[in-house]
Amino acid sequence: MMSRQRSSEKRRRSLLVIPLLGLLPWCTLPLRAQHGESPPPILPPSSPDQIQYRYDAASGECLNAAGQKGTNGWVLASCADLTGANLKELDLRAKDLAGVQLRGADLAGVRLDGAVLRGADLTQANLADANLSGADLNGAILAEAKLLNTLLDKADLSSTDLRGAALHHLSLRTTKLTSANLSKAKLFKVDLNGVDLRQVKLRGADIAWSKLNKANLSGVDLSGGWFDQSELTGVLLEKANLEHTKFVQADFSDGALMGARFYKAELSQAKFCRARMESADFSEANLVASDLSNGNLAQAALRGANLMNANLKGSLLQGADLSGATLYGSDLQKADLRGANLRDGVIGEVGQTLAFRALDVNFRSANLTGAVFDANTQLPFDAREAASRKMVGIGVAKSSTKPTAKGSNPPKKTIKAVPIQIGPN
């Protein structure tokens, strides 16, 4: 008897719910089914009493009137818990979803332009083809989220956590990225032309095949990143950290790279035409077949760098340290090498160093037509070899000692490096 009453009561409740659902035009938004069960519907709030928790921007938490943390459950509103929800192609324009939990949610193709998502958790969410133009995502979490062909025009991503996120085929030129964290993010074919990225965390980021022309990355830590075939013409990289970063076939032409650190960076076939690289550190970097023509490398560190078949034609290398560099087939035509160090250097770790004699093996095949040397240039040749190559001049050094009573000291014949151009101009 008791079981019949319960069954009747359950049937009566379901009949009451049916007309209620009919009043709500978009209340049947399913969650992803788990364990073969039908997911519950996501309902819009039917009364203000359902919204007990509101997003507090100061604390970044969802709090009720008593200051307690919590969520508003399965409603499509701010501070809701919609973890794993399927919201594909939904129209949520200008909706307030601040503090909402959308971890692993499917938001492909959703309209969120102008929406408020401050402090929202979108970890591993799918935002492919979504429209987030003008959306407020300040302080939101999008770690490992997918933003493929996503519209982010004039969106606010300030202080947003995008670590490990995938951002493919999109433009960030008008997106606000102040203090955003893009460490280890994967940005493929992204337009960042002219963007100021000085306050963005980009350590270990993969920004291959992207456009960063005239972007400002001065002082930014880009170490361990990947920028293969990216466009960086006119880029500002003054004092940036690019150690162990890959830039295969990247274009830095006309860039400002003064004081940048490229220690052990992969720069094969990269272009640095007319770039300013004064005091930059390219120690042990791979610059095979790179183009540094007409660049300014004054006082630059190129110790142990691999410059095989590199183009240094017309480059300013005054005071540059090329000790131990590999220069097989390098083109140094009309390069200014006054005060440069071209001797073999020291390799190994501290306490276990191994010094090489001044051999010219790496330097012999280099093209030195029109190169400029002076007395301070440290050449990898002995005096006889240097003289045979016409890299030094035969001069007469007069003794500073005053003549003796019986006569003066005879002039001393010396061999010294003199300002000279090798080969035709």
Side-chain angles (χ1 to χ4, degrees):
M1 184 68 179
M2 185 67 73
S3 63
R4 288 180 181 176
Q5 288 177 348
R6 288 177 179 173
S7 177
S8 176
E9 178 66 20
K10 189 181 290 186
R11 193 180 302 109
R12 185 177 68 82
R13 286 179 180 176
S14 65
L15 290 173
L16 288 173
V17 171
I18 292 172
L20 175 63
L21 295 179
L23 296 174
L24 302 174
W26 39 284
C27 60
T28 56
L29 305 173
L31 289 170
R32 293 175 181 170
Q34 296 180 353
H35 309 297
E37 299 177 358
S38 298
I42 304 171
L43 304 175
S46 57
S47 69
D49 296 335
Q50 287 182 274
I51 310 301
Q52 297 181 26
Y53 297 89
R54 298 188 181 278
Y55 179 71
D56 179 55
S59 64
E61 304 283 354
C62 287
L63 308 173
N64 62 11
Q68 298 172 320
K69 299 178 185 179
T71 68
N72 292 317
W74 298 104
V75 292
L76 200 56
S78 62
C79 292
D81 187 350
L82 300 173
T83 301
N86 183 352
L87 303 174
K88 288 178 68 174
E89 300 181 1
L90 196 63
D91 190 343
L92 299 173
R93 283 177 286 181
K95 191 162 186 65
D96 185 359
L97 295 169
V100 70
Q101 298 289 316
L102 285 163
R103 296 175 65 91
D106 192 348
L107 295 153
V110 71
R111 292 291 302 272
L112 283 162
D113 32 321
V116 177
L117 288 153
R118 293 176 70 90
D121 190 347
L122 293 145
T123 302
Q124 296 183 338
N126 180 15
L127 289 155
D129 299 308
N131 189 342
L132 289 161
S133 300
D136 184 356
L137 289 140
N138 194 307
I141 302 173
L142 290 108
E144 299 181 17
K146 295 180 181 178
L147 293 92
L148 317 179
N149 299 303
T150 306
L151 294 178
L152 290 164
D153 298 330
K154 297 182 180 179
D156 186 355
L157 294 175
S158 301
S159 303
T160 302
D161 185 353
L162 285 151
R163 287 176 295 176
L167 297 90
H168 295 186
H169 298 89
L170 49 86
S171 174
L172 295 170
R173 293 180 68 175
T174 61
T175 306
K176 191 174 181 180
L177 292 166
T178 307
S179 300
N181 191 343
L182 283 155
S183 300
K184 295 185 178 180
K186 297 173 175 60
L187 292 83
F188 180 74
K189 290 192 174 181
V190 171
D191 188 349
L192 285 159
N193 283 337
V195 177
D196 189 344
L197 297 165
R198 285 177 293 176
Q199 297 182 41
V200 180
K201 294 180 180 178
L202 288 162
R203 186 182 177 90
D206 181 349
I207 314 182
W209 293 75
S210 295
K211 296 180 180 180
L212 296 106
N213 301 308
K214 296 184 178 180
N216 193 341
L217 288 152
S218 297
V220 177
D221 186 356
L222 297 164
S223 58
W226 198 303
F227 290 76
D228 288 0
Q229 298 198 39
S230 285
E231 299 176 18
L232 296 126
T233 59
V235 70
L236 302 179
L237 278 166
E238 188 173 0
K239 296 182 179 179
N241 183 2
L242 305 121
E243 297 177 357
H244 301 280
T245 306
K246 299 183 186 298
F247 290 96
V248 176
Q249 296 183 356
D251 191 349
F252 295 91
S253 298
D254 300 302
L257 286 66
M258 297 82 75
R261 299 191 303 279
F262 286 93
Y263 175 71
K264 284 193 175 181
E266 174 58 62
L267 297 156
S268 56
Q269 300 181 62
K271 293 181 180 179
F272 295 89
C273 306
R274 301 171 302 279
R276 293 189 59 189
M277 298 168 278
E278 300 98 300
S279 301
D281 186 357
F282 290 92
S283 299
E284 299 183 46
N286 184 10
L287 288 151
V288 171
S290 58
D291 189 349
L292 298 108
S293 58
N294 299 304
N296 189 340
L297 285 153
Q299 307 299 322
L302 290 147
R303 294 181 299 274
N306 190 346
L307 289 154
M308 185 183 294
N309 297 322
N311 183 0
L312 290 153
K313 192 183 297 184
S315 292
L316 179 62
L317 287 155
Q318 287 187 8
D321 187 355
L322 287 146
S323 58
T326 300
L327 292 157
Y328 291 116
S330 299
D331 192 343
L332 287 151
Q333 293 185 62
K334 297 186 179 181
D336 190 337
L337 292 157
R338 285 175 289 180
N341 183 358
L342 295 161
R343 292 183 180 276
D344 283 342
V346 177
I347 64 169
E349 298 178 359
V350 176
Q352 297 179 343
T353 56
L354 175 64
F356 285 90
R357 293 183 62 111
L359 303 176
D360 69 308
V361 177
N362 286 339
F363 203 74
R364 189 178 294 277
S365 61
N367 187 341
L368 291 161
T369 304
V372 180
F373 300 90
D374 68 359
N376 295 318
T377 304
Q378 298 182 54
L379 297 168
F381 310 107
D382 59 25
R384 184 176 300 176
E385 175 74 6
S388 68
R389 290 173 179 245
K390 297 181 180 179
M391 291 182 177
V392 296
I394 305 298
V396 175
K398 294 184 179 179
S399 173
S400 59
T401 306
K402 292 184 179 180
T404 62
K406 293 183 180 180
S408 61
N409 292 325
K412 186 177 180 181
K413 199 171 189 180
T414 60
I415 298 177
K416 61 180 181 179
V418 296
I420 190 171
Q421 286 193 336
I422 308 303
N425 294 327

